[in-house]
Amino acid sequence: MSDISRAIDALLEARLRQLPAVERESARWKTLGERLDELDTALADLRVHTTLDPDLAASLTAPQLPEIRAGAAEAADSFRTIAARFTRPTVNLGVSGAARMGKSTLLQSVSGLGDQQIPTGHGIPVTAVRSRIFHSPTVRRAELEMHSPESFLTEVIVPLHTALGLAAPPRSLTEFAAWKYPKADEETRKRLLLTRLRDLQSALPSYEHLLTGGVKSVPLEEIRPYVAYPTSEEIKAAGTDGVPRAYAAVREARIKCPFSHEHVARIGIVDLPGLGEVTADAEQRHVDGLRNEVDAVLVVKRSSDTSAFFDETDTSGMSLLDRVRGYVRSIGEFTYVVHNIDPDKPHLAEDLRGICCATSTAGRPTASSPSSKPT
């Protein structure tokens, strides 16, 4: 057993040892909530009692009781969430970063997966779907949570309409297919958003049958179209027929495979695409539902001529990740920058390290690892 695997095991065991105390607190707050419900019912019964003096009945009120009950329910729910976190068999790490930073390469090196499962690319974002990746010594498969027609329209099409300031969005796939979209706006972002919307519309026949709202099991060798945007070559080859876009029907992928390194077998990886993408609300959709489900986030940042600094995309991305940390005390204990170094330009690495430290010291929503490491 390696030092890394021993450290991971020790962390999980320490977490599990705290579980009985957490469960006791959860039960205590649940009991308090039940007693408050009984008190509320008893007071209501007394107030309507026919023989009770009217003035006395009016005094049997507890105006703060609803607020107290809500607080007790919130506390009980919080302890249930902590208990679920402590019973997880893995340390879950989110991995984030904008396009071209080296995130996919890092994920491949840890998981042993290749381009068919964790696609890499140049110039544009390639990862279209959030993926949870776990070690399994025997299983190589992906379980895909598919959109229903309703969730596709609500979570994908509505945000695009909102960002573009379009009329009320389509209420059905039939309406979406027949929708007349305006010409491209001069503004670059709106033009890109409109292009994305038209691409989804023209490709609807290629994924409409996949909008089942269920779970689809797919061999890892066949998963790429379900998790990645089409490449430039695929788009050119499709021509006027349009390229299929199966990824549009997928909400999330859960992948099991044998990891390349056994000492990280008890780490779960959550691939968080979307930072810096042009899709409306893409970043928010990728972190929805992850609060308290990841123990730390690694943000991959490459030091190059165009990225050896923190820009608005990085800052907004860090703010978004801050919503995911849940009960972790601070963003600095939750988010770490993984520094992807260009060995031919070491001065850029020093520039990026300086920026990371400066932004962290200034108290902005970002953090740097104590010692940035190359991927």
Side-chain angles (χ1 to χ4, degrees), residues 285-306:
R285 286 191 291 108
H286 288 312
V287 301
D288 279 347
L290 286 182
R291 184 173 171 82
N292 292 305
E293 290 195 28
V294 291
D295 299 299
V297 174
L298 308 180
V299 179
V300 182
K301 185 72 174 175
R302 183 194 302 275
S303 53
S304 70
D305 291 327
T306 59

Side-chain angles (χ1 to χ4, degrees), residues 28 40 68 115 129 134 139 164 169 200 221 229 241 264 279-280 283 308 340 346 361 371:
R28 189 168 72 88
D40 191 32
I68 296 172
D115 273 3
V129 173
F134 297 94
V139 179
L164 289 164
L200 290 171
E221 293 73 21
Y229 297 118
D241 294 333
V264 294
T279 305
E283 294 91 344
N340 191 358
T361 303
S371 58

Side-chain angles (χ1 to χ4, degrees), residues 37-178:
D37 289 343
E38 293 172 2
L39 174 61
D40 191 32
T41 301
L43 289 173
D45 289 343
L46 284 172
R47 284 195 298 271
V48 299
H49 200 285
T50 56
T51 62
L52 197 64
D53 180 84
D55 293 334
L56 178 60
S59 69
L60 292 173
T61 59
Q64 293 181 324
L65 188 55
E67 183 180 346
I68 296 172
R69 290 170 64 196
E74 183 179 352
D77 186 61
S78 296
F79 279 107
R80 283 194 295 270
T81 299
I82 295 170
R85 187 171 192 153
F86 284 3
T87 54
R88 279 203 307 260
T90 56
V91 175
N92 290 349
L93 300 179
V95 182
S96 183
R100 304 177 300 282
M101 293 294 109
K103 174 175 66 73
S104 295
T105 302
L106 172 63
L107 291 171
Q108 287 181 5
S109 67
V110 174
S111 67
L113 298 173
D115 273 3
Q116 285 300 109
Q117 298 83 35
I118 304 176
T120 58
H122 301 283
I124 58 173
V126 290
T127 308
V129 173
R130 183 175 72 196
S131 298
R132 302 174 190 246
I133 309 169
F134 297 94
H135 168 75
S136 171
T138 57
V139 179
R140 283 182 54 85
R141 201 156 189 86
E143 302 295 324
L144 307 178
E145 180 187 350
M146 311 304 291
H147 274 297
S148 65
E150 294 76 20
S151 70
F152 169 73
L153 291 170
T154 300
E155 299 176 20
V156 180
I157 303 305
V158 168
L160 284 166
H161 270 247
T162 301
L164 289 164
L166 299 177
R171 294 167 296 177
S172 67
L173 294 179
T174 302
E175 283 189 16
F176 174 52

Side-chain angles (χ1 to χ4, degrees), residues 17-29:
R17 284 196 296 271
Q18 300 178 67
L19 183 61
V22 172
E23 290 178 331
R24 284 195 298 271
E25 282 298 305
S26 179
R28 189 168 72 88
W29 283 100

Side-chain angles (χ1 to χ4, degrees), residues 339 341 346 348-358 368 371-372:
H339 192 176
I341 297 174
L348 293 176
E350 293 305 317
D351 290 344
L352 182 57
R353 284 196 186 98
I355 291 295
C356 289
C357 293
S368 176
S371 58
S372 298

Side-chain angles (χ1 to χ4, degrees), residues 212-353:
T212 62
V215 175
K216 182 178 179 64
S217 184
V218 177
L220 292 187
E221 293 73 21
E222 302 173 12
I223 193 178
R224 193 185 195 285
Y226 294 97
V227 298
Y229 297 118
T231 64
S232 299
E233 291 76 14
E234 289 171 333
I235 294 173
K236 290 178 182 177
T240 56
D241 294 333
V243 65
R245 297 181 183 272
Y247 67 84
V250 183
R251 299 185 79 177
E252 182 175 272
R254 185 179 180 91
I255 297 173
K256 290 186 177 181
C257 63
F259 281 9
S260 298
H261 309 286
E262 291 187 2
H263 55 259
V264 294
R266 299 189 74 182
I267 284 181
I269 304 171
V270 183
D271 183 5
L272 297 170
L275 298 188
E277 287 190 12
V278 299
T279 305
D281 214 24
E283 294 91 344
Q284 183 62 56
R285 286 191 291 108
H286 288 312
V287 301
D288 279 347
L290 286 182
R291 184 173 171 82
N292 292 305
E293 290 195 28
V294 291
D295 299 299
V297 174
L298 308 180
V299 179
V300 182
K301 185 72 174 175
R302 183 194 302 275
S303 53
S304 70
D305 291 327
T306 59
S307 62
F309 53 87
F310 264 58
D311 58 16
E312 291 182 4
T313 296
D314 298 299
T315 303
S316 62
M318 289 290 190
S319 297
L320 192 69
L321 295 173
D322 192 26
R323 305 179 195 177
V324 181
R325 65 184 167 92
Y327 296 109
V328 178
R329 184 167 53 186
S330 69
I331 188 69
E333 295 178 351
F334 179 70
T335 307
Y336 298 84
V337 174
V338 178
H339 192 176
N340 191 358
I341 297 174
D342 183 347
D344 296 326
K345 298 180 178 180
H347 65 285
L348 293 176
E350 293 305 317
D351 290 344
L352 182 57
R353 284 196 186 98

